[in-house]
């Protein structure tokens, strides 16, 4: 029972030719594709100016975005300097004037054009200054405004 295969004289066909495994490693290495670590190092091209400056441009854009966002938050505050009425002397004077509030906001339907012009003259309105200002701006506005029946350009 010790050498059962020799007793049976069984040959299973699993044999290799003589000297097959002597140069097996060399033949196997030659038949395999080139490995990743054996590839030559790729040639590195020099970076362009934009590729070098791009991180700094992106950083500057990010900071500008943060600054704009903070500016908007500052303008939306109720105690913001730019949006408060107390910082505008003309609006403050108009709101403090009871005559102005009563005539132009509460009873706005009772004010006619003549009364409005009289009030403007009493406060120091000079129509010649307005005409001069309108004549200076009329060349710019006349070119940009379309001529329509409601607002003819000849009356400007």
């Amino acid at each position: 029972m010790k050498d059962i295969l020799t007793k049976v004289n069984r040959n299973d066909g699993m044999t290799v030719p003589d000297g097959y495994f002597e140069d097996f490693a060399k033949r196997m290495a030659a038949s395999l594709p080139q490995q990743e670590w054996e590839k030559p190092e790729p040639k590195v091209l020099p970076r362009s100016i934009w590729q070098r400056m791009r991180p700094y441009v992106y950083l500057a854009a990010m900071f500008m975005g943060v600054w704009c966002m903070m500016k908007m938050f500052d303008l939306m505050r109720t105690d913001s300097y730019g949006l408060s009425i107390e910082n505008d002397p003309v609006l403050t004077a108009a709101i403090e004037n009871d005559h102005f509030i009563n005539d132009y906001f509460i009873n706005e339907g009772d004010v006619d054009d003549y009364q409005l012009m009289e009030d403007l003259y009493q406060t120091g309105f000079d129509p010649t200054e307005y005409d001069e200002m309108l004549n200076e701006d009329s060349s710019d506005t006349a070119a940009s405004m379309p001529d329509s029946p409601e607002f003819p350009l000849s009356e400007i």
Side-chain angles (χ1 to χ4, degrees), residues 35 66 68 71 78-79 85 88 93 134 150:
Q35 295 297 319
V66 169
C68 288
K71 184 70 173 175
T78 57
D79 61 340
I85 294 175
D88 190 354
L134 187 62
E150 293 116 17

Side-chain angles (χ1 to χ4, degrees), residues 1 3-12:
M1 291 224 202
D3 202 11
I4 199 156
L5 288 178
T6 57
K7 287 182 184 178
V8 178
N9 194 12
R10 179 170 170 243
N11 188 357
D12 61 356

Side-chain angles (χ1 to χ4, degrees), residues 56-76:
Y56 301 109
V57 171
Y58 290 167
L59 185 68
M62 181 196 64
F63 279 116
M64 285 302 297
V66 169
W67 180 82
C68 288
M69 183 177 58
M70 296 303 288
K71 184 70 173 175
M72 288 303 299
F73 288 152
D74 185 49
L75 288 175
M76 288 189 294

Side-chain angles (χ1 to χ4, degrees), residues 89-106:
V90 175
L91 286 177
T92 305
I95 290 174
E96 290 175 353
N97 187 349
D98 291 334
H99 173 71
F100 177 80
I101 296 294
N102 289 335
D103 286 346
Y104 297 108
F105 286 105
I106 297 173

